Amino acid sequence: MRALSWLAAVGLGALAALTPPAPAAAVPIAGTGPVIVLRPGHAVLTRPGSVRRFVPLPWGPVSFPTLVEAIDDPSWMSLSAQGELHLKAGISQRPGTELRVRQPVRMVRLHDAYLSGTRARVWFEGVTVTSAPESVRRPFVRYLNGSTLTATGTTFEGLGSAYTRERGVSVGAGGRLTAVDTTFRGSNRGLDVYRAARVTLTRVSAIGNAEAGIVLNQARAVHFTDVTANDNAGTGLVLRGPLAPELTRVTSARNRTGVELSALGAAPLGPLTTENNRHSGVVLDRCAGCVLSGVRSSGDHTGVLVERQSAGAEVRDGAVHGAGRLGVAVAADRVRLRGLTVQSPAWGVGLRVLPRVQGVAIESSAVTGGAVGVSTDGAGTTVSGVSVTDARIGLRIGRDAENTAVTAVRMSGTETGLQANAGARGVAVRQLQIAQRGGQGIRSAAQNMSVDDTTVQGARHGMHLKGVATVRASTVSGADEAVVAGPRGQLMFVGGALHGESLGLRVSPSSSVILQDTTVDAPQGARGPVQLRGSSTLPAMPVRWIGVFGLVVIAAAIALEVVRRLRERRTDRAVSAPSHVTNIA
């Protein structure tokens, strides 16, 4: 029976030899080296432009020891007693073939060779696939068009080339990839998957690759569990939709960028953990309407970056700690930040809305530390339900900002609670609570600013205002000076209370300040011009005991001087001549 199988294989090989185009079609990868074309039941050994011979093989799965024995030519491939396979020809699997790479093979060294397949199956188990040291062109592993690649306990190392634009390991359209306890290391791009039918990665690592660690593009079913992408020169993990991956314990650390997300759709993606990435932890790039949920960023230069072509994206229920520059940066319109916890170093910015960005909503988040807690230069930014603690500036509204709405925001321990720069227009503040020790509660040079139902406590200057502002039903307490009105300010206070430890209002001569139904409580009510309307009053000028004592001292000094002069005049009138002088008159 074996003889009949051998004769059948030889007959099939001879028939294939009568059709010259077949070998060319069997080599889909450009190259100049030899290629072993695996077909069901036989292999075709080819060199550029010619078919060298046909090798019969058993039907069904084929292993490398079987190939080595059948080819029996070290110039094509060889296997040492230690389980080291030297492959000196490319492997091209044709449809319906299955290759098993496992014991007794421990290491596969590719000498300017590759492993590839079309609608084929390949199994890697307990082996290392790597480039031979003398390889001029970095080898690769590539399976396309509905192929299935399964790897268990395997390491793919030193594969792919930036020069030839080859990836390390690739799985193409319609393919199925299952990898367990597997590492993609030191390659050009560790793992590249394009339009696969199913991808399952369990305890998989992508480490030290020259470009991205793992790139997943448009897969239909994705399951990641305990996946790490560390120390890659490019991005650790790239996810491009449409896809809806299920992620469990996915970490990307010490890459240029931790995770890049594109075109994922509205299905929430997460959780993700990023650490110490040089550029950003997570980047939403061309990811309109994407929802990032449960990100945990620590020590990244920027925790989360929403690029301009990601309008309508949402980042929620995440935490960013120790970002070197920005906790979350938004460069796209209509982005929503919700339920975030951000902790920044002294020089960092917690949440940042960039210029020319419209309609960003920042909600129900907590920011701690940093030079600035929340900063916006956009138009139509809304900040609500946010708390900022121990930042140098709690909320900064930049000169390019327009129509900023601040509602139910709490500041504590800041040097300046809210700062609105000159050029900002249309700032509406409502239910702002500021509690600090020293510094300035609200500092504003904005045009058309309104402050309603706001409390400022413990600041050195409760409100330092220029520009045009209206303050309603608001309270300043525990401040050294309740209000400072800067040059050319146009300010109106309606129905509030201003309590200053030393001064109620300090008003520049060029400013216009109107108090309507406003209470001022301070040792000195105002310095500078103030108009009073309604029930507004300023406290009377205080009479201090030190002043009284000074007046008494001055009066006493005047009295003593008068007494002295009177005595001198009396002495002049009563002068007597000496006894030896004779009065001759």
Side-chain angles (χ1 to χ4, degrees):
M1 292 298 293
R2 292 187 61 185
L4 290 175
S5 299
W6 184 85
L7 289 173
V10 171
L12 288 172
L15 181 61
L18 296 176
T19 58
V27 188
I29 302 169
T32 58
V35 178
I36 302 171
V37 181
L38 295 183
R39 294 183 179 276
H42 70 284
V44 182
L45 277 57
T46 70
R47 291 189 183 274
S50 65
V51 175
R52 293 307 175 93
R53 62 190 177 104
F54 296 87
V55 177
L57 296 172
W59 291 87
V62 176
S63 65
F64 268 129
T66 302
L67 273 177
V68 170
E69 182 180 358
I71 294 173
D72 194 21
D73 187 343
S75 66
W76 292 81
M77 61 192 311
S78 62
L79 179 61
S80 70
Q82 291 75 32
E84 189 168 301
L85 176 77
H86 292 266
L87 183 61
K88 301 178 181 179
I91 297 285
S92 179
Q93 291 184 241
R94 306 311 294 155
T97 60
E98 185 173 331
L99 178 64
R100 301 286 180 92
V101 186
R102 60 185 184 185
Q103 300 291 336
V105 176
R106 297 178 180 274
M107 177 172 291
V108 178
R109 291 196 179 275
L110 304 176
H111 298 252
D112 290 334
Y114 53 81
L115 297 172
S116 69
T118 299
R119 294 197 299 278
R121 293 176 176 268
V122 61
W123 297 71
F124 298 92
E125 184 177 351
V127 299
T128 297
V129 181
T130 184
S131 171
E134 69 276 10
S135 293
V136 177
R137 298 192 319 130
R138 296 279 291 277
F140 53 87
V141 176
R142 186 165 72 186
Y143 282 81
L144 309 174
N145 300 331
S147 295
T148 297
L149 188 153
T150 303
T152 302
T154 296
T155 297
F156 297 93
E157 184 176 19
L159 305 177
S161 169
Y163 178 74
T164 60
R165 302 184 64 84
E166 292 293 350
R167 317 305 187 194
V169 177
S170 302
V171 177
R176 294 175 178 268
L177 169 65
T178 302
V180 180
D181 297 321
T182 293
T183 301
F184 302 88
R185 181 170 60 200
S187 299
N188 179 40
R189 179 179 290 181
L191 173 63
D192 189 290
V193 183
Y194 179 70
R195 291 186 177 178
R198 179 178 294 275
V199 178
T200 302
L201 305 183
T202 305
R203 297 185 298 279
V204 167
S205 300
I207 303 172
N209 297 287
E211 291 186 4
I214 299 173
V215 177
L216 181 59
N217 194 339
Q218 302 180 45
R220 290 198 293 271
V222 178
H223 304 271
F224 282 11
T225 303
D226 295 318
V227 174
T228 59
N230 299 340
D231 302 300
N232 299 284
T235 302
L237 173 62
V238 179
L239 301 177
R240 295 175 182 153
L243 53 81
E246 296 181 7
L247 308 180
T248 304
R249 295 184 296 278
V250 176
T251 303
S252 188
R254 300 182 301 279
N255 311 284
R256 183 179 184 275
T257 298
V259 180
E260 180 184 313
L261 308 175
S262 301
L264 296 182
L269 183 139
L272 292 168
T273 300
T274 64
E275 299 174 355
N276 301 314
N277 292 286
R278 298 184 298 278
H279 181 268
S280 301
V282 180
V283 174
L284 277 67
D285 181 24
R286 291 165 293 178
C287 205
C290 295
V291 178
L292 174 62
S293 178
V295 65
R296 297 290 183 269
S297 166
S298 177
D300 300 313
H301 188 60
T302 296
V304 178
L305 173 59
V306 185
E307 291 281 18
R308 293 196 180 276
Q309 296 180 343
S310 299
E314 180 177 346
V315 181
R316 70 188 191 196
D317 303 327
V320 178
H321 294 274
R325 183 185 173 209
L326 300 171
V328 179
V330 179
D333 295 342
R334 302 185 308 281
V335 171
R336 187 181 186 190
L337 307 181
R338 180 166 62 91
L340 301 180
T341 301
V342 180
Q343 185 176 26
S344 299
W347 56 87
V349 178
L351 305 175
R352 174 87 163 94
V353 180
L354 299 179
R356 299 183 298 278
V357 174
Q358 299 183 8
V360 173
I362 303 173
E363 305 169 356
S364 305
S365 297
V367 181
T368 303
V372 182
V374 180
S375 176
T376 178
D377 283 282
T381 302
T382 61
V383 183
S384 61
V386 173
S387 66
V388 180
T389 305
D390 296 334
R392 194 162 71 242
I393 299 174
L395 171 59
R396 171 192 168 274
I397 301 173
R399 64 181 184 180
D400 297 319
E402 298 181 10
N403 301 323
T404 304
V406 180
T407 305
V409 171
R410 299 182 305 278
M411 310 282 184
S412 62
T414 57
E415 294 181 17
T416 299
L418 184 150
Q419 176 176 307
N421 294 343
R425 296 177 296 280
V427 179
V429 178
R430 187 175 182 83
Q431 296 177 349
L432 172 64
Q433 299 178 23
I434 299 175
Q436 56 192 52
R437 296 180 179 178
Q440 302 179 84
I442 298 177
R443 180 183 178 90
S444 173
Q447 299 297 318
N448 302 323
M449 180 178 187
S450 65
V451 179
D452 293 273
D453 193 17
T454 289
T455 61
V456 179
Q457 183 178 8
R460 183 173 182 272
H461 296 151
M463 297 184 185
H464 188 171
L465 304 176
K466 294 188 286 187
V468 179
T470 301
V471 181
R472 299 182 182 88
S474 297
T475 302
V476 176
S477 63
D480 183 40
E481 298 180 358
V483 173
V484 177
R488 296 177 296 279
Q490 299 180 36
L491 312 178
M492 186 169 185
F493 294 82
V494 180
L498 305 177
H499 303 276
E501 298 293 332
S502 62
L503 181 62
L505 297 97
R506 178 155 55 90
V507 181
S508 172
S510 62
S511 292
S512 170
V513 176
I514 299 174
L515 302 183
Q516 180 172 324
D517 302 324
T518 299
T519 301
V520 178
D521 180 15
Q524 184 176 352
R527 292 179 187 170
V530 176
Q531 300 180 45
L532 303 180
R533 295 180 181 176
S535 61
S536 298
T537 58
L538 293 176
M541 295 294 292
V543 179
R544 297 180 180 269
W545 287 110
I546 187 66
V548 173
F549 179 75
L551 292 175
V552 171
V553 170
I554 292 172
I558 293 173
L560 290 173
E561 180 66 16
V562 170
V563 171
R564 185 184 67 79
R565 293 199 176 190
L566 289 174
R567 286 179 178 177
E568 288 180 353
R569 291 179 62 185
R570 187 179 303 147
T571 302
D572 291 341
R573 292 174 182 175
V575 172
S576 301
S579 60
H580 65 276
V581 176
T582 302
N583 189 348
I584 59 174

